[in-house]
């Protein structure tokens, strides 16, 4: 058993994770407002861009094959530290690459490293959540969203005052320094119970992976895909459909992420009243409708009144962001309770499946954007968003059934009332 930790120690570890999720959000969105510049820099069309960002995802699931072994051997924090240093280097390299093939390999390396980092980070987050005994993944991913919103706004402004290559050096480098400081307060391998898990973990073949985990994998992809589309294509949408400059073009995504922040930090309050996956179910169904409305309004009013188009889109995206808030953290949280697999195994396999689906989806999205137009291509993430809501509804019912079975097998005990003679 891992050693008992004081509330002060658990609090410091939680704050460190909040800081790291925040920093990761900044790094992940650094290039977003400058994607149109990167497309021009490597001289490709929408299909070429979609193919590059899609196929580069092969790096993600290749990393997932080995990440579990690395985590078991070295622990979550050492894997995170090494990954962060490497990812800063590959982001900085993007400002200098003008060849599309070379750019693909840079993104390939970035996907590989991000994958390692995310498994280790979410692995520690799930373990800490269990130690705390309450849902905290929502607030952690909320911290990521804050970082993403700050980064989108900051990068949109920096795009007007700094050359691309300088921007992609100074922001990730500053984040690296902050990250290294925060890792000092994370749970150590001993506090995680790492050595015990490494000894007792059993090899489970992929063929025997519980089917429920594959359903969670599909749900994770369906819930994550609209958010990834916003990251990859919102700036392009603003440029191509609305004709906005990089600074104003970052507004829709900034609002979307800000709404996710509110939703994720509010998830602890909501989950006291309903299951985490039930929250995702409502979010997926309602959020997909409003996200669709945002695309339609922006397209309809783009030529007659661009300010009105932007305003209506932003309002709808705010609601969609609230709906998106619980998607990713709820599926990660559900995976942590998969029977027969360790936390690292469950997260690695779910992330592997998700990486494969994301890789294919990004290439498909690029092809759709070129052949049927970006507006029509947005139907893909909208349908995905709705499907994620339906899967979340099933997960919520499944979790209630499992809990009921556990209560039946191990009923609560209490004082037995006696009748006085």
């Amino acid at each position: 058993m891992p050693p008992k930790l004081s509330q002060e120690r658990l609090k410091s570890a939680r704050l460190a994770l909040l800081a790291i999720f925040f920093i990761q959000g900044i790094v992940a969105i650094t290039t977003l407002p400058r994607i149109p510049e990167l497309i021009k820099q490597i001289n490709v069309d929408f299909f070429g861009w979609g193919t590059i960002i899609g196929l580069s995802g092969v790096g993600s699931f290749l990393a997932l094959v080995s990440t579990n072994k690395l985590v078991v051997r070295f622990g979550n924090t050492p894997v995170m530290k090494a990954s962060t240093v490497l990812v800063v280097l590959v982001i900085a390299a993007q400002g200098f690459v003008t060849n599309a093939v070379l750019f693909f390999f840079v993104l390939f390396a970035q996907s590989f490293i991000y994958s390692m980092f995310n498994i280790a980070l979410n692995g520690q987050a799930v373990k800490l959540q269990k130690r705390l005994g309450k849902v905290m993944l929502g607030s952690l991913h909320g911290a990521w969203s804050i970082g993403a919103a700050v980064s989108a706004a900051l990068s949109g402004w920096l795009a007007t005052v700094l050359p691309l290559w300088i921007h992609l050096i100074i922001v990730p480098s500053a984040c690296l320094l902050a990250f290294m400081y925060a890792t000092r307060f994370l749970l150590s391998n001993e506090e995680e119970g790492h050595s015990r898990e490494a000894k007792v973990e059993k090899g489970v073949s992929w063929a025997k992976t519980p089917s429920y985990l594959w359903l969670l994998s599909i749900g994770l992809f369906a819930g994550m895909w609209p958010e990834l589309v916003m990251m990859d294509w919102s700036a392009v949408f603003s440029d191509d459909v609305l004709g906005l400059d990089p600074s104003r073009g970052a507004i829709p995504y900034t609002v979307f992420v800000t709404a996710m922040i509110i939703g994720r930090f509010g998830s602890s309050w909501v989950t006291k009243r309903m299951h985490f996956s039930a929250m995702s179910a409502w979010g997926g169904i309602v959020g997909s409708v409003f996200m669709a409305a945002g695309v339609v309004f922006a397209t309809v009013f783009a030529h007659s009144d661009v300010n009105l188009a932007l305003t209506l889109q932003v309002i709808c995206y705010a609601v969609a962001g609230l709906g998106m808030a619980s998607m990713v953290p709820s599926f990660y949280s559900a995976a942590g309770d998969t029977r027969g697999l360790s936390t690292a195994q469950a997260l690695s396999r779910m992330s592997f499946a998700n990486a494969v689906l994301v890789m294919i989806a990004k290439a498909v999205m690029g092809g759709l954007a070129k052949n049927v137009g970006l507006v029509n291509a947005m139907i893909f993430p909208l349908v995905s968003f709705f499907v994620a809501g339906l899967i979340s509804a099933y997960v919520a019912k499944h979790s209630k059934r499992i809990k009921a079975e556990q209560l039946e097998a191990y009923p609560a005990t209490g004082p037995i009332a006696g009748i006085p003679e």
Side-chain angles (χ1 to χ4, degrees):
M1 290 292 291
K4 185 177 180 180
L5 302 178
S6 66
Q7 288 300 313
E8 291 75 13
R9 179 68 188 99
L10 290 172
K11 181 179 179 181
S12 67
R14 180 175 179 272
L15 291 176
L17 276 176
L18 283 168
I20 289 173
F21 270 88
F22 172 76
I23 295 165
Q24 185 199 18
I26 293 178
V27 174
I29 307 300
T30 298
T31 60
L32 187 144
R34 310 201 77 152
I35 286 176
E37 292 178 66
L38 290 171
I39 293 175
K40 294 175 183 177
Q41 179 176 288
I42 61 176
N43 193 28
V44 294
D45 56 20
F46 285 166
F47 177 72
W49 176 251
T51 301
I52 288 172
I53 62 177
L55 293 180
S56 64
V58 173
S60 295
F61 66 79
L62 286 181
L64 292 169
V65 175
S66 57
T67 299
N68 179 54
K69 295 179 180 179
L70 290 173
V71 169
V72 169
R73 181 173 180 181
F74 299 107
N76 287 311
T77 300
V79 171
M80 280 190 277
K81 287 182 177 179
S83 301
T84 302
V85 173
L86 293 174
V87 82
V88 168
L89 294 176
V90 296
I91 291 178
Q94 293 177 34
F96 300 93
V97 178
T98 58
N99 179 273
V101 175
L102 181 57
F103 192 83
F104 162 79
F105 284 109
V106 170
L107 286 190
F108 181 94
Q110 179 176 300
S111 297
F112 185 94
I113 299 163
Y114 265 148
S115 179
M116 293 174 59
F117 180 87
N118 284 324
I119 289 296
L121 178 61
N122 283 287
Q124 175 151 138
V126 170
K127 288 182 179 180
L128 182 59
Q129 178 173 273
K130 290 180 179 179
R131 298 294 297 270
L132 289 169
K134 62 180 180 180
V135 174
M136 60 170 286
L137 280 177
S139 61
L140 291 177
H141 285 265
W144 187 97
S145 299
I146 293 177
V150 169
S151 186
L154 176 63
S155 295
W157 173 72
L158 289 176
T160 64
V161 298
L162 286 179
L164 178 64
W165 68 274
I166 294 179
H167 178 186
L168 298 189
I169 290 176
I170 62 172
V171 174
S173 296
C175 289
L176 174 61
L177 295 176
F179 170 83
M180 289 301 182
Y181 176 78
T183 56
R184 297 170 57 194
F185 303 97
L186 292 176
L187 294 181
S188 66
N189 286 351
E190 181 183 359
E191 290 172 327
E192 279 189 349
H194 173 72
S195 59
R196 178 178 179 276
E197 185 174 80
K199 290 178 181 179
V200 303
E201 182 175 278
K202 297 179 180 178
V204 179
S205 70
W206 283 68
K208 294 182 179 180
T209 300
S211 58
Y212 180 62
L213 185 66
W214 296 133
L215 177 65
L216 293 179
S217 301
I218 296 172
L220 176 65
F221 162 74
M224 182 184 291
W225 179 235
E227 185 177 348
L228 294 177
V229 169
M230 287 293 292
M231 289 172 60
D232 291 337
W233 292 96
S234 64
V236 179
F237 187 96
S238 294
D239 177 58
D240 187 63
V241 177
L242 297 176
L244 301 176
D245 59 78
S247 182
R248 296 185 72 200
I251 293 176
Y253 182 76
T254 302
V255 171
F256 177 81
V257 173
T258 301
M260 282 202 301
I261 294 169
I262 296 171
R264 285 175 173 172
F265 277 102
S267 63
S268 296
W269 180 84
V270 176
T271 51
K272 291 178 181 178
R273 292 154 180 81
M274 67 170 66
H275 192 275
F276 206 177
S277 294
M279 177 181 174
S280 293
W282 284 106
I285 294 170
V286 175
S288 61
V289 172
F290 275 86
M291 191 172 184
V295 172
V296 171
F297 285 141
T299 305
V300 170
F301 295 104
H303 299 292
S304 59
D305 190 338
V306 70
N307 290 324
L308 176 62
L310 179 60
T311 300
L312 292 175
Q313 183 188 47
V314 162
I315 293 172
C316 291
Y317 276 14
V319 180
L322 288 173
M324 181 65 63
S326 59
M327 283 296 169
V328 174
S330 70
F331 284 109
Y332 274 125
S333 184
D337 295 322
T338 304
R339 293 178 177 179
L341 296 176
S342 69
T343 300
Q345 285 175 325
L347 291 177
S348 291
R349 296 183 188 196
M350 186 171 73
S351 297
F352 180 92
N354 180 64
V356 174
L357 293 172
V358 168
M359 179 194 69
I360 297 171
K362 286 192 174 186
V364 170
M365 186 68 186
L368 290 173
K370 179 181 179 181
N371 295 308
V372 302
L374 184 54
V375 173
N376 292 326
M378 291 296 291
I379 294 174
F380 182 15
L382 294 174
V383 172
S384 171
F385 200 174
F386 186 82
V387 169
L390 297 181
I391 294 176
S392 293
Y394 173 82
V395 172
K397 291 182 179 179
H398 175 82
S399 298
K400 289 180 180 179
R401 184 169 65 251
I402 295 299
K403 185 176 181 180
E405 291 174 356
Q406 292 174 339
L407 288 174
E408 185 177 346
Y410 305 100
T413 60
I416 302 176
I419 302 176
E421 296 181 356

